[in-house]
Amino acid sequence: MTYTEHTPRAEPVSPREMPDAAIAMLDAEGIVVGWTQAAQQLVGYAAGEVVGRSAEHVLPPFGEVRRASAFAEQCRARGGWSGTAAIRHRDGHTLSMTLRVSSLCGQDADTRWLVSVTDIGSLSSGTAGGPVRESLLTRAPIGIVVYDPRLRCVYANDAMERHDGVPRHRRFGRGLKDSLPAVEAEALEVVMRQVLESGTTRVHEYRAWPPADRRREHAFSASFFCLQGADGTPLGVCSMTVDVTGNRRARERLAILSEASTHIGSTLDVMRTGQELAELAVPLLADHALVDLVESVPFGIEPSARIGTTSGRPLLMRRAGVASVDLGVLELPWVREEVVHAHPDSPFTAAVRTGRSYLEPTLDTRSGPWVDHDPVRAQRVRDSGVHSLMVVPIRARRCVLGLALFGRSVEQTPFQEDDLLLAEELVTRAALCLDNALQYARERTAALTLQRDLLPHRVQGGAAVEVASRYVPADMDHGVGGDWFDVIELSGARVALVVGDVVGHGINAAATMGRLRTAVRTLADLDLPPDELLAHLDDTVRRLNDEDADDSGQAPAVVGATCLYAVYDPVTRRCTMARAGHPPPLIVGAQGRVTVPELPAGAPLGLGLGLVPFESVELELPEGSVIALYSDGLVESRDEDIDVGLRRLGAALAHPGASLEDMCSRVMETSRNYTPADDVTLLLARTRALEPTQVASWDLRNEPAVVTTARRLAARQLRKWGLESLVTPMETIVSELVTNAIRHGDGPSRLRLIQHRVLTCEVSDSNTGQPRPRHPHTLDEHGRGLHLVAQLSRRWGSRCAVDGKIVWAEQDLPSASGAQCAVGERGDRQRASAHASVAAASDKEGGDTTTQ
């Protein structure tokens, strides 16, 4: 037999794997007295062929008896041996083996030898080794005990005493209950009886406190082999015990890290992530865990890379996580979201400043610079009973986001370097989740800011309608969507109501929504009819699609949108509306009756389907009617037809006399019973009507002499309304507008004054051409009329009418707000100049002072 002294090497371990070591027991003369099934499987010899024969005739190749005898003498001199050997299988082929010979002692100084053989070839093929085989390879101490069929100790080696502290002479003739706790001993005896009955090999792990390390619990792996006689009957059980504490701790660390990958970062909330880190660490790693984040992190603001470098300034942090095995500790003022002031001299500030971890195996809370300067925190640590501490900075992208503190109080074993390595790995994984949550918080803050800026902060219906609204995005994680609504005050006390929906969710849809909302407001300033406005908006969406086309040649992503645009006039109580693929409005009468107007659907915007022009429909609405505009997310769902949603919405709105806010709340309550797949938008407008006494109108002939009449009629009406202070500027405005209507129109004109929140003057004529201010030269006699109108009014403009156009101008009423008065002061100076310019011209019917 060829022998080679063994050189230890590391192999992967799997402590619960069935060991494949072949076990043979020899007497002092080298005669085989016990054999195992594993030995038969490994070398091919059955127990009947081996037991009772000399080992030199069984294990080594034939013809090397002399060398085998020399080897036996070497084992006696050393008390054992380990190395490699080339052994021939029963069928003739050679096996490369690792071999370990251990000396056992009996009660009467009787000596036995236990031979453990393992096939090296199985190791090279990739099979993972068990704890016994690893010990064979590394010459680690193996505790060996041989029990008789009644499970009483008959042989043992010296290494077993180092495992459990029981001297060899006290072990003989006794069972496991004399050396192990009753629970562990009973479990091991059950396994040993199974081995005796089946003849197979079993493995069992247990915990104990070896005498050499009483402060720390150790894990042991015991492998049990059935020793058989020549006739195959069981002679007893051989127990081989290995200390696998290091292996178990490695497995526990892998388990902790595996838990971290699934339990940390379940949400994109930085505070919740901090709490998950603390809860995972207790009790797997520590008895107490705290997670403190730099003050700016919970608010979505990335900390500066130089945080904590300013000397003398306390570091502000916010507690994000706290966990403890002691519920009493949780009652201390270590609550979440507490603002923590770390002293500049404390190890906590040092860890943030340097980005390096801090390990204090034995914590001293009685003295030291940070204890003296931070007595409150030091007292908290003393109250918790923490005797060992680790402080690990939470780092991400060269920034320190916070600290993780781990302490032990119940577990008496202090933290070691390997504990710190595990804590750092755990915190590193949590730091990635925290950084993702921080980036999400920043993006969400930006998205919400964008949403707030894009949607109206406050909607007002002026004298035309009372309004209320609700908006709930389907993308609750980001809080933004593609729906929008708006209320736009128009000239003549009218108001425009808008609801739109951009396809998609998130910040991109919100940005597109903002562009369309701006486009609608711009088009509304032109005072276009609803159908014409939607046609222009459709062109706008198409241009946006063309501008956003990818230069790579791929087809651009089409931006689709729907919109409903309505204009309500409180003077005539008529509402004109048109829609582009949007759900129809609901009209709620004063008695609660809900109707759906017959309004052509139109094609969605930007899809190239607008071959059929949009159509407007005009309705007459009694005062107190409610117009309900909404997005499809309110009435559509994956499980319901839109008709079901419309009936549900109508039922929620059919409450006469209810306030608009209550109606909005009732509608949103009904929508909570199902999960909307789209953004939910609701805009309610209750119509108002102007009193007849607030409107005055006159038909005018198409002749220059009527200008004087128009000025006189306007002045008389203003005095009747008690607006004497506005008579002079209004006379000039009427003169200019009526003169233009007579000069450029070919039929009768009409003058109308409306008193609502402002004073509006409207002059309509049959000319469809829109007025345009000119820039006359110094000597020009004409072209200054509209400049005078602009100077004398708060704003002016024109809009298309059925048979021509309407030019209008507004003036603030004397009871206007302070902001309007500020505008009035500026206007006083302008009016003084304007009055001087037109004093002479106004007596000549205004014909030479205006242009169109």
Side-chain angles (χ1 to χ4, degrees):
M1 181 163 50
T2 303
Y3 302 99
T4 304
E5 194 75 18
H6 176 68
T7 301
R9 62 173 179 171
E11 290 287 341
V13 296
S14 178
R16 292 193 178 274
E17 181 188 336
M18 299 297 291
D20 57 3
I23 304 298
M25 189 173 177
L26 316 179
D27 63 11
E29 303 301 325
I31 304 299
V32 178
V33 295
W35 196 248
T36 62
Q37 289 185 0
Q40 178 179 348
Q41 295 172 358
L42 188 62
V43 298
Y45 292 98
E49 298 176 285
V50 176
V51 177
R53 301 183 63 182
S54 173
E56 64 187 32
H57 296 291
V58 178
L59 295 179
F62 298 105
E64 298 186 12
V65 176
R66 187 178 62 180
R67 295 191 61 184
S69 300
F71 170 69
E73 292 299 328
Q74 183 182 4
C75 289
R76 291 189 182 96
R78 294 186 178 184
W81 187 89
S82 65
T84 60
I87 299 178
R88 184 177 301 167
H89 192 271
R90 187 177 185 277
D91 62 9
H93 73 274
T94 302
L95 301 174
S96 297
M97 299 287 186
T98 62
L99 186 145
R100 182 165 183 159
V101 180
S102 303
S103 175
L104 305 179
C105 186
Q107 187 170 4
D108 299 325
D110 186 17
T111 301
R112 290 288 187 268
W113 298 96
L114 195 77
V115 181
S116 306
V117 181
T118 303
D119 184 6
I120 295 180
S122 65
L123 299 178
S124 62
S125 64
T127 305
V132 171
R133 180 166 58 195
E134 182 191 3
S135 298
L136 292 174
L137 294 174
T138 61
R139 303 177 67 179
I142 301 177
I144 303 175
V145 181
V146 177
Y147 300 90
D148 63 16
R150 298 176 60 185
L151 303 184
R152 295 175 302 182
C153 175
V154 291
Y155 293 98
N157 69 344
D158 295 334
M160 195 63 200
E161 182 177 350
R162 294 196 293 271
H163 287 337
D164 57 18
V166 179
R168 187 168 52 192
H169 67 276
R170 290 178 49 192
R171 193 186 303 272
F172 295 135
R174 300 180 181 180
L176 286 170
K177 294 182 179 179
D178 296 314
S179 58
L180 289 176
V183 175
E184 294 289 356
E186 183 177 353
L188 290 176
E189 286 181 352
V190 170
V191 175
M192 293 167 67
R193 290 190 184 95
Q194 294 173 348
V195 171
L196 283 173
E197 294 174 359
S198 64
T200 58
T201 303
R202 298 294 180 91
V203 178
H204 185 79
E205 291 189 3
Y206 66 94
R207 293 177 179 269
W209 284 262
D213 189 7
R214 292 292 187 185
R215 299 185 60 185
R216 186 172 68 170
E217 183 184 59
H218 283 231
F220 294 92
S221 177
S223 301
F224 298 96
F225 305 84
C226 180
L227 295 174
Q228 298 176 340
D231 56 357
T233 59
L235 302 178
V237 177
C238 174
S239 167
M240 304 181 70
T241 305
V242 182
D243 188 340
V244 294
T245 303
N247 296 340
R248 175 175 287 273
R249 289 173 65 83
R251 294 202 311 274
E252 290 175 347
R253 278 154 171 72
L254 290 175
I256 293 175
L257 296 178
S258 177
E259 288 285 320
S261 62
T262 57
H263 287 79
I264 298 180
S266 62
T267 67
L268 288 173
D269 180 83
V270 292
M271 301 297 284
R272 179 58 193 165
T273 303
Q275 181 63 27
E276 290 171 344
L277 171 59
E279 291 175 352
L280 180 65
V282 176
L284 297 178
L285 176 62
D287 297 327
H288 317 282
L290 299 175
V291 178
D292 296 338
L293 300 179
V294 175
E295 176 69 8
S296 63
V297 172
F299 300 99
I301 302 175
E302 185 173 306
S304 170
R306 298 176 56 84
I307 188 170
T309 58
T310 305
S311 176
R313 296 183 59 184
L315 176 65
L316 291 181
M317 308 186 78
R318 187 173 295 272
R319 182 135 300 153
V322 54
S324 176
V325 296
D326 184 2
L327 297 180
V329 171
L330 296 179
E331 296 176 359
L332 294 174
W334 287 9
V335 296
R336 290 186 66 201
E337 308 218 3
E338 169 196 12
V339 177
V340 180
H341 301 265
H343 193 273
D345 295 331
S346 69
F348 316 109
T349 302
V352 174
R353 183 176 61 252
T354 63
R356 293 192 293 269
S357 301
Y358 171 79
L359 170 64
E360 191 69 35
T362 303
L363 182 63
D364 183 7
T365 59
R366 299 293 176 182
S367 61
W370 80 271
V371 175
D372 298 336
H373 293 97
D374 199 355
V376 175
R377 183 182 288 257
Q379 184 60 45
R380 292 184 184 181
V381 175
R382 286 192 290 269
D383 292 340
S384 68
V386 172
H387 61 80
S388 187
L389 179 69
M390 293 187 298
V391 180
V392 181
I394 304 173
R395 303 184 60 184
R397 294 185 295 110
R398 299 184 180 180
C399 292
V400 177
L401 305 181
L403 294 176
L405 286 69
F406 306 98
R408 281 182 176 172
S409 60
V410 179
E411 171 64 50
Q412 295 302 311
T413 304
F415 287 123
Q416 304 296 331
E417 288 293 337
D418 58 343
D419 295 311
L420 182 60
L421 292 175
L422 173 61
E424 290 177 336
E425 179 65 24
L426 188 64
V427 171
T428 297
R429 300 193 179 200
L432 178 61
C433 298
L434 282 170
D435 187 51
N436 290 338
L438 176 60
Q439 300 307 313
Y440 163 77
R442 293 177 58 188
E443 293 180 3
R444 185 174 186 273
T445 299
L448 290 176
T449 301
L450 174 64
Q451 184 78 3
R452 284 193 297 267
D453 290 343
L454 294 180
L455 288 176
H457 296 182
R458 183 181 59 175
V459 289
Q460 292 182 331
V465 293
E466 172 195 359
V467 293
S469 62
R470 293 290 189 275
Y471 171 75
V472 178
D475 189 357
M476 293 302 295
D477 290 337
H478 294 86
V480 292
D483 283 12
W484 89 92
F485 64 93
D486 212 342
V487 180
I488 308 170
E489 295 187 52
L490 304 175
S491 62
R494 297 168 308 126
V495 67
L497 306 174
V498 190
V499 169
D501 183 3
V502 175
V503 175
H505 311 291
I507 193 169
N508 292 331
T512 302
M513 172 270 290
R515 300 164 80 178
L516 295 188
R517 177 173 178 257
T518 301
V520 171
R521 279 192 161 263
T522 302
L523 294 172
D525 287 341
L526 300 178
D527 235 329
L528 299 174
D531 54 342
E532 294 185 24
L533 183 141
L534 291 181
H536 285 286
L537 188 62
D538 183 48
D539 293 337
T540 300
V541 176
R542 293 187 188 185
R543 284 196 299 270
L544 292 178
N545 286 335
D546 294 339
E547 292 172 1
D548 294 339
D550 190 355
D551 293 337
S552 63
Q554 299 179 355
V558 177
V559 175
T562 63
C563 183
L564 193 154
Y565 185 82
V567 176
Y568 174 71
D569 188 342
V571 177
T572 63
R573 302 195 317 277
R574 302 191 70 83
C575 181
T576 306
M577 59 183 66
R579 60 181 176 134
H582 203 81
L586 298 185
I587 307 298
V588 185
Q591 305 303 319
R593 182 171 179 268
V594 180
T595 59
V596 181
E598 292 292 337
L599 182 62
L605 303 171
L607 301 184
L609 303 178
L611 300 178
V612 179
F614 301 103
E615 296 183 47
S616 294
V617 171
E618 189 174 70
L619 306 173
E620 184 173 349
L621 301 178
E623 184 177 5
S625 300
V626 175
I627 307 171
L629 308 183
Y630 53 91
S631 63
D632 55 3
L634 189 60
V635 294
E636 288 184 353
S637 69
R638 297 183 179 94
D639 304 323
E640 291 181 348
D641 187 74
I642 187 173
D643 293 335
V644 178
L646 285 173
R647 287 195 295 270
R648 180 177 57 246
L649 175 59
L653 294 173
H655 290 270
S659 68
L660 294 185
E661 289 294 333
D662 290 343
M663 295 174 70
C664 283
S665 299
R666 188 178 299 108
V667 170
M668 301 311 294
E669 284 292 335
T670 61
S671 67
R672 293 178 184 175
N673 297 329
Y674 69 98
T675 302
D678 202 353
D679 306 325
V680 173
T681 303
L682 176 65
L683 176 63
L684 300 182
R686 176 170 281 134
T687 62
R688 296 167 176 163
L690 296 184
E691 297 293 335
T693 56
Q694 294 179 268
V695 182
S697 61
W698 303 272
D699 292 326
L700 305 176
R701 300 185 307 274
N702 191 22
E703 55 186 41
V706 81
V707 175
T708 302
T709 302
R711 293 171 56 189
R712 184 174 63 253
L713 292 173
R716 184 172 62 187
Q717 185 62 47
L718 262 59
R719 293 187 179 96
K720 185 177 179 180
W721 283 339
L723 303 177
E724 289 82 359
S725 60
L726 301 181
V727 169
T728 301
M730 182 55 68
E731 286 182 328
T732 304
I733 292 175
V734 169
S735 176
E736 299 299 333
L737 297 185
V738 172
T739 299
N740 273 349
I742 294 174
R743 174 172 298 172
H744 301 285
D746 55 0
S749 59
R750 185 175 182 82
L751 169 66
R752 185 169 72 165
L753 299 180
I754 305 173
Q755 180 194 14
H756 50 110
R757 293 173 52 181
V758 295
L759 177 63
T760 302
C761 172
E762 296 181 346
V763 176
S764 57
D765 60 60
S766 59
N767 189 349
T768 58
Q770 298 297 317
R772 180 172 55 86
R774 296 180 181 179
H775 301 280
H777 297 290
T778 305
L779 300 180
D780 289 347
E781 297 183 3
H782 304 285
R784 298 181 176 85
L786 293 181
H787 288 287
L788 294 177
V789 173
Q791 288 181 323
L792 295 173
S793 39
R794 64 191 302 268
R795 64 173 189 155
W796 75 277
S798 66
R799 65 178 184 270
C800 295
V802 177
D803 53 357
K805 69 174 181 299
I806 298 175
V807 184
W808 54 269
E810 294 178 349
Q811 283 193 304
D812 292 321
L813 297 176
S815 59
S817 63
Q820 293 172 332
C821 292
V823 176
E825 293 178 1
R826 173 181 56 83
D828 289 341
R829 296 189 296 270
Q830 295 173 338
R831 292 183 186 110
S833 174
H835 291 165
S837 302
V838 301
S842 61
D843 291 332
K844 296 190 294 181
E845 302 177 347
D848 295 332
T849 60
T850 60
T851 187
Q852 184 160 345

